[in-house]
Amino acid sequence: MIVYLSLIAVFFSSMVYGIIGFGDALVLIPIITPIIGVKNAIILVNIWGTFPALLNFIKYREYIDKGYFFRFIQLAIPATILGTYMIITIEFEWIELLLGIFILCYSSLRLFQYYKKNDAIELRKHIDTKSPIIFIGGFSYGLLTGLISAAGPINVALLEKTGHYREIFIENFAAIGVVLSASRIPFYFIGNIFPFDLILVFFLAFPIIFIGTKFGQKLTPKIPVRTFQILIFCFLIIISIKSIITATFELIFW
């Protein structure tokens, strides 16, 4: 039963990733945590996440923004390694609560702007790869990625701020995801925290991830750019509300 439920969740989260370029961890971790535990869920999702990121990276490789990518990972890689080490002792509830509040505020504001002004809001035509905020965002993203494997909204905010949309958005998110996922995987084995008792689920998930991601990729070109942005923020609002409720409940009653 654990295997079947986990694989169904893996397919759904991979499809979400294939459509919007992120969100697999945001969807998958809350679903499988009650089944296999939060630490095991974070570790497996971190490793699994490398595969759909690689699939998206290959499909949209001509859209890579090298300036953004190299600035982002300079601090993101060491921050990811730091977060991976901290996973052993940190309390996840406070991180989940604060991240949920940030996501809710930012996503609600952006969604309000899209709907209030409607067509008056023009999508950025110029891609800004020199903003210093990219370095700060890279560090924050890397740290939270290592800790809870669900820091995607930070990169969402940065990519939109610097003018990356749909295919360009997906490609640069994927490129960063591949590098950061690969950088933390060895430490799960060095630290002896990989859940070998779930090795069957671990390997069975990969063909499911491939199918789910490919299915999602076929839907992406059919979504208008503006609708794509609105879809992202609606998704983030739902996830943020869930995170706030879950974290608050755990902090009060545990």
Side-chain angles (χ1 to χ4, degrees), residues 73-85:
I73 65 171
Q74 285 182 40
L75 293 181
I77 292 177
T80 300
I81 295 173
L82 174 62
T84 302
Y85 271 114

Side-chain angles (χ1 to χ4, degrees), residues 26 53 58 63 75 118 124 126-127 139 166 199 202 208:
L26 291 167
I58 294 172
Y63 295 102
L75 293 181
N118 200 10
R124 292 173 179 263
H126 173 67
I127 295 178
F139 180 84
R166 210 171 64 180
I199 197 71
F202 174 73
I208 302 299

Side-chain angles (χ1 to χ4, degrees), residues 59-253:
K59 181 175 178 60
Y60 301 106
R61 57 189 178 277
E62 67 269 24
Y63 295 102
I64 184 70
D65 180 348
K66 295 181 180 178
Y68 181 91
F69 172 74
F70 286 115
R71 283 175 173 80
F72 194 95
I73 65 171
Q74 285 182 40
L75 293 181
I77 292 177
T80 300
I81 295 173
L82 174 62
T84 302
Y85 271 114
M86 292 173 63
I87 195 177
I88 300 173
T89 59
I90 199 73
E91 290 188 28
F92 301 103
E93 291 79 11
W94 284 107
I95 298 174
E96 185 178 16
L97 177 61
L98 294 175
L99 183 61
I101 293 173
F102 165 75
I103 297 170
L104 179 61
C105 293
Y106 177 80
S107 300
S108 299
L109 176 62
R110 295 300 294 141
L111 195 60
F112 175 75
Q113 290 175 335
Y114 274 111
Y115 276 114
K116 182 179 179 181
K117 297 184 180 180
N118 200 10
D119 293 335
I121 294 181
E122 293 185 2
L123 301 178
R124 292 173 179 263
K125 299 294 189 297
H126 173 67
I127 295 178
D128 178 12
T129 60
K130 298 182 179 179
S131 174
I133 198 173
I134 295 176
F135 294 99
I136 300 172
F139 180 84
S140 302
Y141 177 82
L143 185 64
L144 285 174
T145 295
L147 282 171
I148 61 176
S149 187
I154 293 177
N155 204 11
V156 170
L158 285 173
L159 284 167
E160 192 196 36
K161 184 71 175 178
T162 50
H164 298 80
Y165 301 105
R166 210 171 64 180
E167 288 87 356
I168 303 176
F169 172 96
I170 293 173
E171 167 59 19
N172 288 281
F173 211 116
I176 291 167
V178 170
V179 172
L180 296 191
S181 294
S183 69
R184 64 196 174 204
I185 290 174
F187 295 97
Y188 296 139
F189 297 95
I190 294 173
N192 196 31
I193 58 175
F194 181 84
F196 285 100
D197 55 319
L198 297 172
I199 197 71
L200 177 61
V201 176
F202 174 73
F203 282 113
L204 288 177
F206 285 98
I208 302 299
I209 291 171
F210 179 84
I211 296 171
T213 304
K214 286 297 183 181
F215 181 74
Q217 287 176 344
K218 292 183 180 298
L219 298 178
T220 299
K222 301 178 182 179
I223 305 173
V225 175
R226 183 180 295 278
T227 303
F228 184 87
Q229 296 303 114
I230 292 175
L231 177 65
I232 287 176
F233 292 120
C234 288
F235 173 77
L236 289 178
I237 287 174
I238 294 172
I239 294 297
S240 65
I241 293 173
K242 190 283 307 176
S243 296
I244 292 172
I245 294 174
T246 301
T248 300
F249 180 84
E250 292 178 350
L251 287 170
I252 292 175
F253 296 102

